């Protein structure tokens, strides 16, 4: 019977795991560094696409056309700290249509981030689009479906929730059946957004 030594039983497995861990960390770090600029660009593009949709402008499919349309219709306004404060929306140069805000709130499984656009009166909603959400697929994730987003166009808050398919007043929106908590989170999000 062959007897294993201390090195083979104790030291070698630790060294082997350390080498494998270092290789994996190096590969993952390399991929992250190689793609971080592309990821940031895609996040910015996704936000611009959401602003255009929420404002009611046609959203082009080509990324270059999205950039061009955003440059024509939107102007970022930064706070004193340099962070994005809100976005001015223009139909034509000099013709202000309204404003778009990025609103954040809690969701069931994580943060919900929405772009909410208003007319210049800051009470009539032009539209909403969701930039970030991790709600349950088939339930709360339905907030990203067109029927849900479109129901906010031209409505005025403060909003109230009604059962799905029954919204009739300008301050009502349809809840998502089976996603009560997500609907409540959206209610809080759209009712606090103009004041931010």
């Amino acid at each position: 019977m062959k007897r294993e030594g201390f090195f083979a039983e104790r030291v070698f497995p630790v060294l082997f795991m350390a080498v494998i861990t270092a290789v994996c960390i190096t590969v993952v770090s390399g991929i992250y560094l190689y793609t971080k600029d592309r990821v940031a660009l895609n996040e910015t593009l996704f936000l611009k696409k959401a602003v255009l949709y929420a404002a009611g402008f046609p959203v082009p499919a080509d990324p270059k056309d999205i950039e061009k349309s955003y440059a024509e219709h939107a102007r970022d306004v930064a706070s004193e700290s340099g962070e994005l404060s809100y976005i001015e929306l223009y139909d034509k140069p000099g013709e202000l249509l309204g404003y778009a805000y990025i609103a954040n709130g809690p969701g069931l499984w994580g943060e919900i981030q929405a772009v909410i656009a208003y007319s210049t009166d800051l009470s009539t909603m032009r539209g909403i689009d969701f930039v970030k959400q991790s709600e349950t697929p088939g339930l709360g994730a339905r907030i990203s479906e067109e029927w849900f987003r479109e129901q906010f166009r031209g409505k005025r808050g403060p909003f109230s929730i009604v059962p799905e398919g029954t919204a009739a007043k300008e301050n009502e929106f349809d809840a998502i059946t089976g996603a009560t908590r997500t609907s409540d989170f959206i209610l809080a999000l759209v009712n606090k957004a103009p004041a931010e």
Side-chain angles (χ1 to χ4, degrees), residues 122-189:
L122 291 177
S123 61
T124 306
M125 210 182 225
R126 292 187 59 82
I128 188 170
D129 199 5
F130 297 93
V131 178
K132 178 181 176 184
Q133 60 94 2
S134 53
E135 300 303 284
T136 307
L139 292 171
R142 293 179 64 205
I143 62 175
S144 294
E145 292 178 6
E146 189 172 358
W147 74 267
F148 186 81
R149 296 177 294 157
E150 284 296 316
Q151 70 178 324
F152 290 95
R153 291 202 192 276
K155 292 194 174 182
R156 300 169 73 99
F159 290 95
S160 60
I161 303 172
V162 294
E164 191 171 330
T166 62
K169 297 178 184 172
E170 74 171 10
N171 69 334
E172 295 178 339
F173 73 91
D174 290 331
I176 297 172
T177 303
T180 305
R181 292 187 65 189
T182 302
S183 298
D184 290 340
F185 295 140
I186 299 303
L187 176 66
L189 200 68

Side-chain angles (χ1 to χ4, degrees), residues 17-196:
M17 291 303 292
V19 168
I20 293 296
T21 302
V23 168
C24 290
I25 288 173
T26 303
V27 169
V28 170
S29 297
I31 291 170
Y32 168 77
L33 292 172
Y34 181 74
T35 61
K36 79 175 184 175
D37 291 338
R38 172 68 74 172
V39 169
L41 181 66
N42 284 339
E43 287 176 351
T44 301
L45 192 64
F46 194 66
L47 178 62
K48 289 178 179 181
K49 194 173 168 182
V51 169
L52 291 172
Y53 179 84
F57 296 117
V59 180
D62 186 280
K64 290 179 184 174
D65 292 337
I66 291 171
E67 291 285 351
K68 182 180 176 188
S69 182
Y70 189 85
E72 290 174 8
H73 297 295
R75 186 175 73 83
D76 297 345
V77 178
S79 64
E80 291 179 10
S81 64
E83 292 182 23
L84 180 64
S85 182
Y86 62 93
I87 301 147
E88 293 178 342
L89 305 170
Y90 295 91
D91 190 24
K92 299 173 187 171
E95 189 178 314
L96 185 66
L97 283 180
Y99 305 93
Y101 298 88
I102 298 172
N104 299 300
L108 184 60
W109 303 112
E111 182 184 44
I112 295 175
Q113 186 177 62
V115 173
I116 304 175
Y118 293 92
S119 297
T120 53
D121 63 5
L122 291 177
S123 61
T124 306
M125 210 182 225
R126 292 187 59 82
I128 188 170
D129 199 5
F130 297 93
V131 178
K132 178 181 176 184
Q133 60 94 2
S134 53
E135 300 303 284
T136 307
L139 292 171
R142 293 179 64 205
I143 62 175
S144 294
E145 292 178 6
E146 189 172 358
W147 74 267
F148 186 81
R149 296 177 294 157
E150 284 296 316
Q151 70 178 324
F152 290 95
R153 291 202 192 276
K155 292 194 174 182
R156 300 169 73 99
F159 290 95
S160 60
I161 303 172
V162 294
E164 191 171 330
T166 62
K169 297 178 184 172
E170 74 171 10
N171 69 334
E172 295 178 339
F173 73 91
D174 290 331
I176 297 172
T177 303
T180 305
R181 292 187 65 189
T182 302
S183 298
D184 290 340
F185 295 140
I186 299 303
L187 176 66
L189 200 68
V190 296
N191 279 337
K192 77 172 182 177
E196 290 182 347

